[in-house]
């Protein structure tokens, strides 16, 4: 009978174990980053949809009142789904304030700095709405 060499009896080498652990760590890190990115994108989209809904409700208010002057949350909520103001993707109820003949402001609470740039870029595509630098206020202007 032939003897097995010592090398064939060892099994897995330390280098192979380290390689498998490194690959597993990379997969975990990439999965976490993807999840965080997807979560942020979902919250930005949700906030953008809510701002769009408030703008549509403001248009309904404008058509019934003829002006944005004195517009507030109580004036917009009858036109909102569920008759309530929506919240931003990060929590906190959005609001409407500073109504004038030229437009009004939508308060957007709790937007993190990292998502602010993305949200502002998406809002910029709507020529009627602009976002301030801190992403706490979107201004709707009358056309």
């Amino acid at each position: 009978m032939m003897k097995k060499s010592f090398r064939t009896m060892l099994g897995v080498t330390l280098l192979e174990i380290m390689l498998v652990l490194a690959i597993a760590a990379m997969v975990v890190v990439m999965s976490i980053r993807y999840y965080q990115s997807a979560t942020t994108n979902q919250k930005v989209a949700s906030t953008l949809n809510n701002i769009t809904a408030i703008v549509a409700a403001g248009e309904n208010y404008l058509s019934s009142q003829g002006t944005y002057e004195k517009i507030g949350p109580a004036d917009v909520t009858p036109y909102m789904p569920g008759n309530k103001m929506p919240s931003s993707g990060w929590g906190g109820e959005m609001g409407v304030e500073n109504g004038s003949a030229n437009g009004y402001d939508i308060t957007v609470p709790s937007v993190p700095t990292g998502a602010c740039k993305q949200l502002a870029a998406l809002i910029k595509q709507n020529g009627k709405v602009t976002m301030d630098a801190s992403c706490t206020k979107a201004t709707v202007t009358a056309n």
Side-chain angles (χ1 to χ4, degrees):
M1 208 171 181
M2 285 180 47
K3 279 186 154 183
K4 290 186 178 183
S5 71
F6 182 73
R7 187 153 172 67
T8 59
M9 293 173 38
L10 283 179
V12 182
T13 65
L14 181 60
L15 181 61
E16 291 169 332
I17 292 173
M18 288 174 46
L19 183 63
V20 168
L21 289 175
I23 292 171
M26 285 182 5
V27 168
V28 167
V29 167
M30 291 175 72
S31 297
I32 290 171
R33 285 190 180 175
Y34 173 77
Y35 176 76
Q36 289 172 337
S37 174
T39 302
T40 298
N41 289 342
Q42 185 273 329
K43 289 178 179 180
V44 166
S46 172
T47 302
L48 182 62
N49 287 338
N50 290 340
I51 290 172
T52 304
I54 292 172
V55 171
E59 291 298 315
N60 287 333
Y61 175 81
L62 177 64
S63 67
S64 68
Q65 299 297 315
T67 182
Y68 288 126
E69 290 184 29
K70 300 180 183 177
I71 191 172
D75 302 314
V76 176
T77 52
Y79 303 106
M80 298 298 298
N83 292 328
K84 64 177 189 165
M85 290 299 290
S87 62
S88 76
W90 296 272
E93 188 175 274
M94 298 168 80
V96 175
E97 61 186 21
N98 300 330
S100 69
N102 298 327
Y104 58 94
D105 294 332
I106 300 171
T107 56
V108 186
S110 309
V111 178
T113 308
C116 181
K117 187 182 260 187
Q118 184 180 359
L119 181 61
L122 289 171
I123 286 179
K124 191 175 185 179
Q125 294 175 359
N126 181 339
K128 191 173 183 149
V129 183
T130 56
M131 184 64 97
D132 69 342
S134 62
C135 287
T136 58
K137 180 175 67 171
T139 301
V140 181
T141 53
N143 285 339

